[in-house]
Amino acid sequence: MEKIIKNIYGIAVDEQKRIQKENNKHKLLPLVEWSMKEKDCLEYCYKKGFFWKENNIRLYDVLDRVSCWCCSNKNNKELKNYYLYLPKYFEKIRKLTYEIWINATNSSLEENAYKFWIKLEGVRFRVSKFNYDVFYDEEGQCIIAVSKQKYSKEQAVELAKRELNTEKIIPSEEEMYVRYGLGTMDEEKKQGYWLECRKTKISIPVWSFKI
């Protein structure tokens, strides 16, 4: 007599795409049979004393999924909460992604790691709120960039004069932006703040001045 092996899957009734994918005679979906949604399952676990805590924080209060901390499919809300409430894991994700990008052996892996790094740094940059910083162009000329989100033009002018220790400053003729992320300088991959004339999803507008 042929034995039929069946696997039990913890898929909730409101996970329709997963139900369609996994629905066959060799797979049992008890949560679907019991009409239990994801929130119903979580409430049941809480009643039984399972809270999944880290740093005294209930992980499901700040994350959609807690099984895989380094998953590249995490959304911006989860990544932001990692940065705010679970900084140890956020830094581990950043370090892992950076190492993959630096040591990638093929262009596809390098591109995917870079995209996820951009996503991570976008979250970190928006939360950390850039104020101002000093940069140098290819000719070694000093440029100061001041956040338009934090300072008016008049305030930025006074700050630039003070930081550059001069009354003679020249406003940039182009719209400038600052982002935090990966880039190449002197043929080396580096991470840090970058002053650019192009706007990206993770950049902020700045006032910029030269001497």
Side-chain angles (χ1 to χ4, degrees), residues 6-181:
K6 294 190 176 183
N7 298 309
I8 298 176
Y9 285 71
I11 300 175
V13 71
D14 50 350
E15 297 181 273
Q16 289 300 315
K17 289 184 178 180
R18 293 186 68 197
I19 292 173
Q20 293 174 8
K21 181 181 177 181
E22 305 293 351
N23 192 17
N24 65 60
K25 63 180 182 179
H26 298 297
K27 298 179 180 180
L28 300 177
L29 308 177
L31 299 178
V32 176
E33 294 178 13
W34 302 334
S35 299
M36 292 188 70
K37 298 179 179 180
E38 287 188 289
K39 67 175 184 178
D40 299 326
C41 300
L42 187 59
E43 289 174 3
Y44 177 84
C45 290
Y46 284 165
K47 289 179 181 178
K48 294 296 181 179
F50 299 99
F51 297 102
W52 294 278
K53 284 187 176 183
E54 181 93 16
N55 298 337
N56 208 32
I57 296 170
R58 291 198 315 188
L59 295 181
Y60 275 109
D61 288 345
V62 297
L63 303 173
D64 296 335
R65 293 286 187 273
V66 304
S67 301
C68 183
W69 59 267
C70 58
C71 178
S72 61
N73 289 324
K74 291 195 176 298
N75 56 47
N76 285 336
K77 184 201 79 174
E78 290 183 290
L79 293 175
K80 178 182 177 181
N81 286 336
Y82 265 109
Y83 182 79
L84 293 174
Y85 304 111
L86 304 163
K88 178 180 72 174
Y89 290 99
F90 189 88
E91 288 305 314
K92 288 173 72 173
I93 295 171
R94 287 183 68 245
K95 182 179 179 181
L96 178 61
T97 305
Y98 182 73
E99 289 178 351
I100 292 173
W101 181 67
I102 291 294
N103 300 304
T105 56
N106 62 72
S107 58
S108 177
L109 181 60
E110 181 178 11
E111 181 180 1
N112 288 333
Y114 180 75
K115 285 181 178 179
F116 189 53
W117 174 270
I118 291 295
K119 189 175 180 180
L120 287 169
E121 293 310 296
V123 169
R124 196 165 78 112
F125 190 45
R126 285 190 293 273
V127 173
S128 62
K129 296 183 179 179
F130 171 86
N131 290 319
Y132 65 89
D133 206 348
V134 175
F135 301 84
Y136 293 89
D137 62 17
E138 295 178 352
E139 298 176 353
Q141 188 173 23
C142 178
I143 305 172
I144 187 169
V146 183
S147 171
K148 286 187 176 181
Q149 297 176 344
K150 300 279 286 184
Y151 299 88
S152 67
K153 186 174 182 179
E154 291 74 20
Q155 290 172 327
V157 168
E158 291 304 313
L159 188 153
K161 289 179 180 179
R162 184 180 73 245
E163 291 297 316
L164 299 179
N165 195 27
T166 180
E167 290 293 319
K168 298 179 180 179
I169 58 172
I170 305 171
S172 173
E173 296 180 357
E174 297 180 282
E175 292 291 329
M176 302 298 290
Y177 304 88
V178 166
R179 67 174 175 86
Y180 188 93

